[in-house]
Amino acid sequence: VLVHVEVQAQEKKDFPNRTFIYNYRIYDLFQRPPVSLAVLADDNPKWRPCVYSHKMWGCRTGFRFRMVKILDYGKNLEELSRSDNVFAVAVAAHLRTMETRKDTRKRFHHKIELTKELYRRGLDKTDIINLYRFIDWIMRLPEELENDYHREIIRFEEERKMQYVTTAE
């Protein structure tokens, strides 16, 4: 099975066309039909593209692809925190980032909790470091809060004798 995943964080009018093009290019390259999945990470609950079509002179091409809207998981943050799926952490981080766009103090607290949750889940070191990097990349903080965040995580690691993530990482 070939899987083609498109992650889109902003509304783009040509997104269905681009998804169609990548789908047929994959088919052309491997001579096997891929499954296309759109992960929509934008903030418009109404934007839900999942079809591309065009027609001319009696010819028609139609393409339907699967779509997942991250905003739809906003009601399930509690469930995401209990999930064993590592993607649940990434989805929760994205939702919390969107939620705290204008409140860095709240983002700081969410970032700490999400990072601590990585350890509580009992993930292996590689998964913790990779998810930590993702959370750190998407949940940007002002320098002062970023320093406070790193101090808090180092303290948390020392309490549990787990030196997985360092400030340098």
PDB file of all heavy atoms in Angstrom, residues 96-131:
ATOM      1  N   ARG A  96      -3.119  22.943  21.272  1.00  0.00           N
ATOM      2  CA  ARG A  96      -2.750  23.870  22.350  1.00  0.00           C
ATOM      3  C   ARG A  96      -2.028  25.099  21.785  1.00  0.00           C
ATOM      4  O   ARG A  96      -2.189  26.200  22.300  1.00  0.00           O
ATOM      5  CB  ARG A  96      -1.862  23.175  23.384  1.00  0.00           C
ATOM      6  CG  ARG A  96      -2.573  22.122  24.191  1.00  0.00           C
ATOM      7  CD  ARG A  96      -3.690  22.703  25.004  1.00  0.00           C
ATOM      8  NE  ARG A  96      -4.180  21.731  25.958  1.00  0.00           N
ATOM      9  CZ  ARG A  96      -5.320  21.846  26.596  1.00  0.00           C
ATOM     10  NH1 ARG A  96      -6.106  22.894  26.390  1.00  0.00           N
ATOM     11  NH2 ARG A  96      -5.698  20.947  27.451  1.00  0.00           N
ATOM     12  N   THR A  97      -1.241  24.917  20.733  1.00  0.00           N
ATOM     13  CA  THR A  97      -0.551  26.044  20.101  1.00  0.00           C
ATOM     14  C   THR A  97      -1.571  27.003  19.499  1.00  0.00           C
ATOM     15  O   THR A  97      -1.467  28.218  19.662  1.00  0.00           O
ATOM     16  CB  THR A  97       0.426  25.543  19.017  1.00  0.00           C
ATOM     17  OG1 THR A  97       1.390  24.691  19.640  1.00  0.00           O
ATOM     18  CG2 THR A  97       1.140  26.698  18.346  1.00  0.00           C
ATOM     19  N   MET A  98      -2.559  26.454  18.809  1.00  0.00           N
ATOM     20  CA  MET A  98      -3.600  27.297  18.207  1.00  0.00           C
ATOM     21  C   MET A  98      -4.398  28.026  19.290  1.00  0.00           C
ATOM     22  O   MET A  98      -4.708  29.202  19.155  1.00  0.00           O
ATOM     23  CB  MET A  98      -4.523  26.446  17.334  1.00  0.00           C
ATOM     24  CG  MET A  98      -3.835  25.935  16.082  1.00  0.00           C
ATOM     25  SD  MET A  98      -4.814  24.731  15.161  1.00  0.00           S
ATOM     26  CE  MET A  98      -6.156  25.746  14.583  1.00  0.00           C
ATOM     27  N   GLU A  99      -4.702  27.306  20.354  1.00  0.00           N
ATOM     28  CA  GLU A  99      -5.498  27.858  21.455  1.00  0.00           C
ATOM     29  C   GLU A  99      -4.779  29.008  22.164  1.00  0.00           C
ATOM     30  O   GLU A  99      -5.415  29.942  22.647  1.00  0.00           O
ATOM     31  CB  GLU A  99      -5.798  26.727  22.449  1.00  0.00           C
ATOM     32  CG  GLU A  99      -6.437  27.145  23.736  1.00  0.00           C
ATOM     33  CD  GLU A  99      -6.448  25.994  24.742  1.00  0.00           C
ATOM     34  OE1 GLU A  99      -6.656  24.835  24.334  1.00  0.00           O
ATOM     35  OE2 GLU A  99      -6.244  26.272  25.941  1.00  0.00           O
ATOM     36  N   THR A 100      -3.464  28.946  22.227  1.00  0.00           N
ATOM     37  CA  THR A 100      -2.685  29.914  23.007  1.00  0.00           C
ATOM     38  C   THR A 100      -1.941  30.907  22.122  1.00  0.00           C
ATOM     39  O   THR A 100      -0.923  31.467  22.535  1.00  0.00           O
ATOM     40  CB  THR A 100      -1.680  29.178  23.915  1.00  0.00           C
ATOM     41  OG1 THR A 100      -0.807  28.393  23.104  1.00  0.00           O
ATOM     42  CG2 THR A 100      -2.393  28.293  24.922  1.00  0.00           C
ATOM     43  N   ARG A 101      -2.433  31.115  20.946  1.00  0.00           N
ATOM     44  CA  ARG A 101      -1.775  32.014  19.993  1.00  0.00           C
ATOM     45  C   ARG A 101      -1.471  33.379  20.601  1.00  0.00           C
ATOM     46  O   ARG A 101      -0.449  33.979  20.315  1.00  0.00           O
ATOM     47  CB  ARG A 101      -2.670  32.163  18.765  1.00  0.00           C
ATOM     48  CG  ARG A 101      -1.957  32.699  17.553  1.00  0.00           C
ATOM     49  CD  ARG A 101      -2.827  32.647  16.320  1.00  0.00           C
ATOM     50  NE  ARG A 101      -2.841  31.274  15.817  1.00  0.00           N
ATOM     51  CZ  ARG A 101      -3.898  30.691  15.288  1.00  0.00           C
ATOM     52  NH1 ARG A 101      -5.026  31.325  15.179  1.00  0.00           N
ATOM     53  NH2 ARG A 101      -3.831  29.454  14.862  1.00  0.00           N
ATOM     54  N   LYS A 102      -2.352  33.860  21.474  1.00  0.00           N
ATOM     55  CA  LYS A 102      -2.167  35.201  22.053  1.00  0.00           C
ATOM     56  C   LYS A 102      -1.923  35.173  23.560  1.00  0.00           C
ATOM     57  O   LYS A 102      -1.989  36.197  24.215  1.00  0.00           O
ATOM     58  CB  LYS A 102      -3.396  36.059  21.751  1.00  0.00           C
ATOM     59  CG  LYS A 102      -3.590  36.310  20.265  1.00  0.00           C
ATOM     60  CD  LYS A 102      -4.813  37.119  19.987  1.00  0.00           C
ATOM     61  CE  LYS A 102      -4.963  37.299  18.483  1.00  0.00           C
ATOM     62  NZ  LYS A 102      -6.179  37.974  18.129  1.00  0.00           N
ATOM     63  N   ASP A 103      -1.641  34.003  24.110  1.00  0.00           N
ATOM     64  CA  ASP A 103      -1.443  33.881  25.549  1.00  0.00           C
ATOM     65  C   ASP A 103      -0.209  33.013  25.825  1.00  0.00           C
ATOM     66  O   ASP A 103      -0.314  31.802  26.020  1.00  0.00           O
ATOM     67  CB  ASP A 103      -2.692  33.263  26.191  1.00  0.00           C
ATOM     68  CG  ASP A 103      -2.652  33.261  27.706  1.00  0.00           C
ATOM     69  OD1 ASP A 103      -1.564  33.463  28.294  1.00  0.00           O
ATOM     70  OD2 ASP A 103      -3.722  33.048  28.312  1.00  0.00           O
ATOM     71  N   THR A 104       0.964  33.657  25.852  1.00  0.00           N
ATOM     72  CA  THR A 104       2.212  32.904  26.004  1.00  0.00           C
ATOM     73  C   THR A 104       2.341  32.258  27.383  1.00  0.00           C
ATOM     74  O   THR A 104       2.962  31.206  27.509  1.00  0.00           O
ATOM     75  CB  THR A 104       3.448  33.780  25.729  1.00  0.00           C
ATOM     76  OG1 THR A 104       3.409  34.931  26.568  1.00  0.00           O
ATOM     77  CG2 THR A 104       3.509  34.193  24.279  1.00  0.00           C
ATOM     78  N   ARG A 105       1.756  32.853  28.406  1.00  0.00           N
ATOM     79  CA  ARG A 105       1.824  32.274  29.756  1.00  0.00           C
ATOM     80  C   ARG A 105       1.062  30.935  29.778  1.00  0.00           C
ATOM     81  O   ARG A 105       1.547  29.931  30.305  1.00  0.00           O
ATOM     82  CB  ARG A 105       1.238  33.271  30.763  1.00  0.00           C
ATOM     83  CG  ARG A 105       1.237  32.829  32.196  1.00  0.00           C
ATOM     84  CD  ARG A 105       2.554  32.454  32.768  1.00  0.00           C
ATOM     85  NE  ARG A 105       3.524  33.510  32.905  1.00  0.00           N
ATOM     86  CZ  ARG A 105       4.739  33.315  33.374  1.00  0.00           C
ATOM     87  NH1 ARG A 105       5.114  32.116  33.771  1.00  0.00           N
ATOM     88  NH2 ARG A 105       5.589  34.282  33.460  1.00  0.00           N
ATOM     89  N   LYS A 106      -0.099  30.916  29.167  1.00  0.00           N
ATOM     90  CA  LYS A 106      -0.884  29.679  29.089  1.00  0.00           C
ATOM     91  C   LYS A 106      -0.155  28.648  28.229  1.00  0.00           C
ATOM     92  O   LYS A 106      -0.117  27.463  28.552  1.00  0.00           O
ATOM     93  CB  LYS A 106      -2.272  29.988  28.518  1.00  0.00           C
ATOM     94  CG  LYS A 106      -3.265  28.880  28.668  1.00  0.00           C
ATOM     95  CD  LYS A 106      -4.649  29.367  28.235  1.00  0.00           C
ATOM     96  CE  LYS A 106      -5.683  28.287  28.397  1.00  0.00           C
ATOM     97  NZ  LYS A 106      -7.004  28.736  27.938  1.00  0.00           N
ATOM     98  N   ARG A 107       0.461  29.102  27.132  1.00  0.00           N
ATOM     99  CA  ARG A 107       1.227  28.198  26.269  1.00  0.00           C
ATOM    100  C   ARG A 107       2.378  27.577  27.054  1.00  0.00           C
ATOM    101  O   ARG A 107       2.664  26.393  26.932  1.00  0.00           O
ATOM    102  CB  ARG A 107       1.759  28.931  25.045  1.00  0.00           C
ATOM    103  CG  ARG A 107       2.586  28.018  24.153  1.00  0.00           C
ATOM    104  CD  ARG A 107       3.043  28.677  22.902  1.00  0.00           C
ATOM    105  NE  ARG A 107       1.892  28.912  22.044  1.00  0.00           N
ATOM    106  CZ  ARG A 107       1.953  29.451  20.850  1.00  0.00           C
ATOM    107  NH1 ARG A 107       3.118  29.850  20.360  1.00  0.00           N
ATOM    108  NH2 ARG A 107       0.876  29.630  20.122  1.00  0.00           N
ATOM    109  N   PHE A 108       3.033  28.369  27.871  1.00  0.00           N
ATOM    110  CA  PHE A 108       4.131  27.897  28.719  1.00  0.00           C
ATOM    111  C   PHE A 108       3.660  26.718  29.575  1.00  0.00           C
ATOM    112  O   PHE A 108       4.304  25.674  29.617  1.00  0.00           O
ATOM    113  CB  PHE A 108       4.613  29.069  29.587  1.00  0.00           C
ATOM    114  CG  PHE A 108       5.517  28.679  30.716  1.00  0.00           C
ATOM    115  CD1 PHE A 108       6.850  28.381  30.497  1.00  0.00           C
ATOM    116  CD2 PHE A 108       5.036  28.645  32.024  1.00  0.00           C
ATOM    117  CE1 PHE A 108       7.695  28.037  31.541  1.00  0.00           C
ATOM    118  CE2 PHE A 108       5.866  28.309  33.080  1.00  0.00           C
ATOM    119  CZ  PHE A 108       7.200  27.996  32.837  1.00  0.00           C
ATOM    120  N   HIS A 109       2.531  26.877  30.234  1.00  0.00           N
ATOM    121  CA  HIS A 109       2.004  25.806  31.097  1.00  0.00           C
ATOM    122  C   HIS A 109       1.627  24.561  30.292  1.00  0.00           C
ATOM    123  O   HIS A 109       1.912  23.432  30.707  1.00  0.00           O
ATOM    124  CB  HIS A 109       0.827  26.309  31.930  1.00  0.00           C
ATOM    125  CG  HIS A 109       1.229  27.312  32.957  1.00  0.00           C
ATOM    126  ND1 HIS A 109       2.036  27.007  34.030  1.00  0.00           N
ATOM    127  CD2 HIS A 109       0.965  28.631  33.057  1.00  0.00           C
ATOM    128  CE1 HIS A 109       2.241  28.088  34.762  1.00  0.00           C
ATOM    129  NE2 HIS A 109       1.610  29.097  34.182  1.00  0.00           N
ATOM    130  N   HIS A 110       0.997  24.754  29.143  1.00  0.00           N
ATOM    131  CA  HIS A 110       0.635  23.614  28.295  1.00  0.00           C
ATOM    132  C   HIS A 110       1.880  22.899  27.780  1.00  0.00           C
ATOM    133  O   HIS A 110       1.921  21.669  27.720  1.00  0.00           O
ATOM    134  CB  HIS A 110      -0.220  24.054  27.112  1.00  0.00           C
ATOM    135  CG  HIS A 110      -1.638  24.367  27.469  1.00  0.00           C
ATOM    136  ND1 HIS A 110      -2.427  23.535  28.229  1.00  0.00           N
ATOM    137  CD2 HIS A 110      -2.420  25.422  27.139  1.00  0.00           C
ATOM    138  CE1 HIS A 110      -3.630  24.064  28.372  1.00  0.00           C
ATOM    139  NE2 HIS A 110      -3.644  25.219  27.712  1.00  0.00           N
ATOM    140  N   LYS A 111       2.901  23.647  27.425  1.00  0.00           N
ATOM    141  CA  LYS A 111       4.134  23.059  26.901  1.00  0.00           C
ATOM    142  C   LYS A 111       4.803  22.201  27.974  1.00  0.00           C
ATOM    143  O   LYS A 111       5.269  21.091  27.697  1.00  0.00           O
ATOM    144  CB  LYS A 111       5.081  24.160  26.404  1.00  0.00           C
ATOM    145  CG  LYS A 111       6.316  23.638  25.706  1.00  0.00           C
ATOM    146  CD  LYS A 111       7.112  24.784  25.084  1.00  0.00           C
ATOM    147  CE  LYS A 111       8.348  24.286  24.376  1.00  0.00           C
ATOM    148  NZ  LYS A 111       9.084  25.359  23.701  1.00  0.00           N
ATOM    149  N   ILE A 112       4.833  22.696  29.188  1.00  0.00           N
ATOM    150  CA  ILE A 112       5.402  21.916  30.297  1.00  0.00           C
ATOM    151  C   ILE A 112       4.604  20.628  30.494  1.00  0.00           C
ATOM    152  O   ILE A 112       5.180  19.538  30.590  1.00  0.00           O
ATOM    153  CB  ILE A 112       5.440  22.745  31.594  1.00  0.00           C
ATOM    154  CG1 ILE A 112       6.532  23.805  31.499  1.00  0.00           C
ATOM    155  CG2 ILE A 112       5.668  21.844  32.814  1.00  0.00           C
ATOM    156  CD1 ILE A 112       6.538  24.797  32.638  1.00  0.00           C
ATOM    157  N   GLU A 113       3.292  20.741  30.530  1.00  0.00           N
ATOM    158  CA  GLU A 113       2.462  19.551  30.755  1.00  0.00           C
ATOM    159  C   GLU A 113       2.605  18.532  29.630  1.00  0.00           C
ATOM    160  O   GLU A 113       2.681  17.335  29.881  1.00  0.00           O
ATOM    161  CB  GLU A 113       0.991  19.938  30.963  1.00  0.00           C
ATOM    162  CG  GLU A 113       0.707  20.478  32.334  1.00  0.00           C
ATOM    163  CD  GLU A 113       1.250  19.573  33.449  1.00  0.00           C
ATOM    164  OE1 GLU A 113       0.933  18.363  33.474  1.00  0.00           O
ATOM    165  OE2 GLU A 113       2.014  20.071  34.299  1.00  0.00           O
ATOM    166  N   LEU A 114       2.614  19.011  28.390  1.00  0.00           N
ATOM    167  CA  LEU A 114       2.788  18.088  27.259  1.00  0.00           C
ATOM    168  C   LEU A 114       4.141  17.388  27.317  1.00  0.00           C
ATOM    169  O   LEU A 114       4.242  16.195  27.041  1.00  0.00           O
ATOM    170  CB  LEU A 114       2.633  18.831  25.934  1.00  0.00           C
ATOM    171  CG  LEU A 114       1.208  19.164  25.525  1.00  0.00           C
ATOM    172  CD1 LEU A 114       1.210  20.180  24.380  1.00  0.00           C
ATOM    173  CD2 LEU A 114       0.451  17.914  25.117  1.00  0.00           C
ATOM    174  N   THR A 115       5.178  18.111  27.680  1.00  0.00           N
ATOM    175  CA  THR A 115       6.515  17.508  27.761  1.00  0.00           C
ATOM    176  C   THR A 115       6.568  16.489  28.890  1.00  0.00           C
ATOM    177  O   THR A 115       7.089  15.378  28.712  1.00  0.00           O
ATOM    178  CB  THR A 115       7.590  18.601  27.953  1.00  0.00           C
ATOM    179  OG1 THR A 115       7.469  19.562  26.904  1.00  0.00           O
ATOM    180  CG2 THR A 115       8.979  18.001  27.939  1.00  0.00           C
ATOM    181  N   LYS A 116       6.027  16.820  30.044  1.00  0.00           N
ATOM    182  CA  LYS A 116       6.004  15.869  31.159  1.00  0.00           C
ATOM    183  C   LYS A 116       5.205  14.624  30.787  1.00  0.00           C
ATOM    184  O   LYS A 116       5.550  13.505  31.201  1.00  0.00           O
ATOM    185  CB  LYS A 116       5.408  16.523  32.410  1.00  0.00           C
ATOM    186  CG  LYS A 116       6.328  17.537  33.053  1.00  0.00           C
ATOM    187  CD  LYS A 116       5.661  18.160  34.263  1.00  0.00           C
ATOM    188  CE  LYS A 116       6.561  19.157  34.964  1.00  0.00           C
ATOM    189  NZ  LYS A 116       5.894  19.754  36.145  1.00  0.00           N
ATOM    190  N   GLU A 117       4.159  14.816  30.021  1.00  0.00           N
ATOM    191  CA  GLU A 117       3.322  13.692  29.592  1.00  0.00           C
ATOM    192  C   GLU A 117       4.120  12.681  28.768  1.00  0.00           C
ATOM    193  O   GLU A 117       3.854  11.481  28.816  1.00  0.00           O
ATOM    194  CB  GLU A 117       2.122  14.211  28.792  1.00  0.00           C
ATOM    195  CG  GLU A 117       1.114  13.157  28.421  1.00  0.00           C
ATOM    196  CD  GLU A 117       0.483  12.466  29.612  1.00  0.00           C
ATOM    197  OE1 GLU A 117       0.279  13.110  30.661  1.00  0.00           O
ATOM    198  OE2 GLU A 117       0.208  11.257  29.488  1.00  0.00           O
ATOM    199  N   LEU A 118       5.117  13.152  28.024  1.00  0.00           N
ATOM    200  CA  LEU A 118       5.962  12.238  27.248  1.00  0.00           C
ATOM    201  C   LEU A 118       6.626  11.209  28.163  1.00  0.00           C
ATOM    202  O   LEU A 118       6.706  10.033  27.845  1.00  0.00           O
ATOM    203  CB  LEU A 118       7.042  13.009  26.487  1.00  0.00           C
ATOM    204  CG  LEU A 118       6.582  14.016  25.449  1.00  0.00           C
ATOM    205  CD1 LEU A 118       7.791  14.725  24.844  1.00  0.00           C
ATOM    206  CD2 LEU A 118       5.748  13.362  24.382  1.00  0.00           C
ATOM    207  N   TYR A 119       7.105  11.662  29.302  1.00  0.00           N
ATOM    208  CA  TYR A 119       7.764  10.771  30.252  1.00  0.00           C
ATOM    209  C   TYR A 119       6.756   9.837  30.922  1.00  0.00           C
ATOM    210  O   TYR A 119       7.012   8.659  31.096  1.00  0.00           O
ATOM    211  CB  TYR A 119       8.489  11.582  31.324  1.00  0.00           C
ATOM    212  CG  TYR A 119       9.674  12.353  30.797  1.00  0.00           C
ATOM    213  CD1 TYR A 119       9.546  13.686  30.415  1.00  0.00           C
ATOM    214  CD2 TYR A 119      10.919  11.757  30.700  1.00  0.00           C
ATOM    215  CE1 TYR A 119      10.640  14.393  29.945  1.00  0.00           C
ATOM    216  CE2 TYR A 119      12.013  12.458  30.235  1.00  0.00           C
ATOM    217  CZ  TYR A 119      11.866  13.777  29.853  1.00  0.00           C
ATOM    218  OH  TYR A 119      12.935  14.476  29.391  1.00  0.00           O
ATOM    219  N   ARG A 120       5.607  10.393  31.283  1.00  0.00           N
ATOM    220  CA  ARG A 120       4.591   9.598  31.981  1.00  0.00           C
ATOM    221  C   ARG A 120       4.051   8.470  31.111  1.00  0.00           C
ATOM    222  O   ARG A 120       3.584   7.463  31.621  1.00  0.00           O
ATOM    223  CB  ARG A 120       3.447  10.496  32.427  1.00  0.00           C
ATOM    224  CG  ARG A 120       3.829  11.462  33.514  1.00  0.00           C
ATOM    225  CD  ARG A 120       2.604  12.226  33.998  1.00  0.00           C
ATOM    226  NE  ARG A 120       3.011  13.362  34.776  1.00  0.00           N
ATOM    227  CZ  ARG A 120       2.737  14.625  34.474  1.00  0.00           C
ATOM    228  NH1 ARG A 120       2.019  14.924  33.411  1.00  0.00           N
ATOM    229  NH2 ARG A 120       3.159  15.594  35.245  1.00  0.00           N
ATOM    230  N   ARG A 121       4.078   8.653  29.810  1.00  0.00           N
ATOM    231  CA  ARG A 121       3.565   7.634  28.892  1.00  0.00           C
ATOM    232  C   ARG A 121       4.471   6.418  28.814  1.00  0.00           C
ATOM    233  O   ARG A 121       4.083   5.398  28.257  1.00  0.00           O
ATOM    234  CB  ARG A 121       3.412   8.217  27.488  1.00  0.00           C
ATOM    235  CG  ARG A 121       2.263   9.156  27.335  1.00  0.00           C
ATOM    236  CD  ARG A 121       2.286   9.820  25.968  1.00  0.00           C
ATOM    237  NE  ARG A 121       1.188  10.740  25.824  1.00  0.00           N
ATOM    238  CZ  ARG A 121       0.088  10.469  25.133  1.00  0.00           C
ATOM    239  NH1 ARG A 121      -0.043   9.344  24.500  1.00  0.00           N
ATOM    240  NH2 ARG A 121      -0.879  11.356  25.054  1.00  0.00           N
ATOM    241  N   GLY A 122       5.682   6.530  29.329  1.00  0.00           N
ATOM    242  CA  GLY A 122       6.599   5.405  29.289  1.00  0.00           C
ATOM    243  C   GLY A 122       7.165   5.161  27.897  1.00  0.00           C
ATOM    244  O   GLY A 122       7.507   4.033  27.555  1.00  0.00           O
ATOM    245  N   LEU A 123       7.261   6.208  27.093  1.00  0.00           N
ATOM    246  CA  LEU A 123       7.809   6.075  25.748  1.00  0.00           C
ATOM    247  C   LEU A 123       9.303   5.818  25.806  1.00  0.00           C
ATOM    248  O   LEU A 123       9.961   6.133  26.801  1.00  0.00           O
ATOM    249  CB  LEU A 123       7.554   7.360  24.953  1.00  0.00           C
ATOM    250  CG  LEU A 123       6.099   7.775  24.778  1.00  0.00           C
ATOM    251  CD1 LEU A 123       6.016   9.167  24.166  1.00  0.00           C
ATOM    252  CD2 LEU A 123       5.361   6.773  23.914  1.00  0.00           C
ATOM    253  N   ASP A 124       9.845   5.248  24.738  1.00  0.00           N
ATOM    254  CA  ASP A 124      11.294   5.043  24.735  1.00  0.00           C
ATOM    255  C   ASP A 124      11.993   6.374  24.448  1.00  0.00           C
ATOM    256  O   ASP A 124      11.382   7.351  24.031  1.00  0.00           O
ATOM    257  CB  ASP A 124      11.726   3.952  23.747  1.00  0.00           C
ATOM    258  CG  ASP A 124      11.470   4.300  22.291  1.00  0.00           C
ATOM    259  OD1 ASP A 124      11.620   5.474  21.910  1.00  0.00           O
ATOM    260  OD2 ASP A 124      11.155   3.381  21.525  1.00  0.00           O
ATOM    261  N   LYS A 125      13.292   6.385  24.705  1.00  0.00           N
ATOM    262  CA  LYS A 125      14.083   7.612  24.634  1.00  0.00           C
ATOM    263  C   LYS A 125      13.964   8.296  23.268  1.00  0.00           C
ATOM    264  O   LYS A 125      13.791   9.512  23.186  1.00  0.00           O
ATOM    265  CB  LYS A 125      15.545   7.286  24.943  1.00  0.00           C
ATOM    266  CG  LYS A 125      16.462   8.478  24.917  1.00  0.00           C
ATOM    267  CD  LYS A 125      17.888   8.074  25.282  1.00  0.00           C
ATOM    268  CE  LYS A 125      18.799   9.272  25.235  1.00  0.00           C
ATOM    269  NZ  LYS A 125      20.159   8.965  25.630  1.00  0.00           N
ATOM    270  N   THR A 126      14.035   7.530  22.180  1.00  0.00           N
ATOM    271  CA  THR A 126      13.969   8.107  20.832  1.00  0.00           C
ATOM    272  C   THR A 126      12.630   8.802  20.598  1.00  0.00           C
ATOM    273  O   THR A 126      12.585   9.918  20.069  1.00  0.00           O
ATOM    274  CB  THR A 126      14.189   7.004  19.774  1.00  0.00           C
ATOM    275  OG1 THR A 126      15.438   6.377  20.025  1.00  0.00           O
ATOM    276  CG2 THR A 126      14.184   7.580  18.377  1.00  0.00           C
ATOM    277  N   ASP A 127      11.538   8.161  20.995  1.00  0.00           N
ATOM    278  CA  ASP A 127      10.213   8.781  20.821  1.00  0.00           C
ATOM    279  C   ASP A 127      10.091  10.056  21.657  1.00  0.00           C
ATOM    280  O   ASP A 127       9.553  11.055  21.188  1.00  0.00           O
ATOM    281  CB  ASP A 127       9.096   7.807  21.212  1.00  0.00           C
ATOM    282  CG  ASP A 127       8.881   6.719  20.176  1.00  0.00           C
ATOM    283  OD1 ASP A 127       9.304   6.904  19.009  1.00  0.00           O
ATOM    284  OD2 ASP A 127       8.294   5.686  20.539  1.00  0.00           O
ATOM    285  N   ILE A 128      10.602  10.018  22.881  1.00  0.00           N
ATOM    286  CA  ILE A 128      10.536  11.204  23.739  1.00  0.00           C
ATOM    287  C   ILE A 128      11.301  12.355  23.104  1.00  0.00           C
ATOM    288  O   ILE A 128      10.797  13.477  23.004  1.00  0.00           O
ATOM    289  CB  ILE A 128      11.071  10.903  25.157  1.00  0.00           C
ATOM    290  CG1 ILE A 128      10.074  10.012  25.902  1.00  0.00           C
ATOM    291  CG2 ILE A 128      11.318  12.203  25.939  1.00  0.00           C
ATOM    292  CD1 ILE A 128      10.552   9.548  27.262  1.00  0.00           C
ATOM    293  N   ILE A 129      12.498  12.097  22.635  1.00  0.00           N
ATOM    294  CA  ILE A 129      13.321  13.161  22.046  1.00  0.00           C
ATOM    295  C   ILE A 129      12.664  13.703  20.775  1.00  0.00           C
ATOM    296  O   ILE A 129      12.592  14.923  20.582  1.00  0.00           O
ATOM    297  CB  ILE A 129      14.760  12.668  21.781  1.00  0.00           C
ATOM    298  CG1 ILE A 129      15.480  12.487  23.121  1.00  0.00           C
ATOM    299  CG2 ILE A 129      15.518  13.643  20.887  1.00  0.00           C
ATOM    300  CD1 ILE A 129      16.829  11.802  23.028  1.00  0.00           C
ATOM    301  N   ASN A 130      12.165  12.834  19.918  1.00  0.00           N
ATOM    302  CA  ASN A 130      11.523  13.297  18.680  1.00  0.00           C
ATOM    303  C   ASN A 130      10.259  14.108  18.962  1.00  0.00           C
ATOM    304  O   ASN A 130      10.036  15.158  18.345  1.00  0.00           O
ATOM    305  CB  ASN A 130      11.221  12.126  17.754  1.00  0.00           C
ATOM    306  CG  ASN A 130      12.470  11.552  17.134  1.00  0.00           C
ATOM    307  OD1 ASN A 130      13.480  12.238  16.976  1.00  0.00           O
ATOM    308  ND2 ASN A 130      12.418  10.278  16.795  1.00  0.00           N
ATOM    309  N   LEU A 131       9.438  13.640  19.879  1.00  0.00           N
ATOM    310  CA  LEU A 131       8.225  14.396  20.213  1.00  0.00           C
ATOM    311  C   LEU A 131       8.569  15.690  20.941  1.00  0.00           C
ATOM    312  O   LEU A 131       7.925  16.722  20.734  1.00  0.00           O
ATOM    313  CB  LEU A 131       7.267  13.534  21.037  1.00  0.00           C
ATOM    314  CG  LEU A 131       6.540  12.472  20.218  1.00  0.00           C
ATOM    315  CD1 LEU A 131       5.895  11.440  21.130  1.00  0.00           C
ATOM    316  CD2 LEU A 131       5.511  13.102  19.304  1.00  0.00           C
TER     317      LEU A 131
END
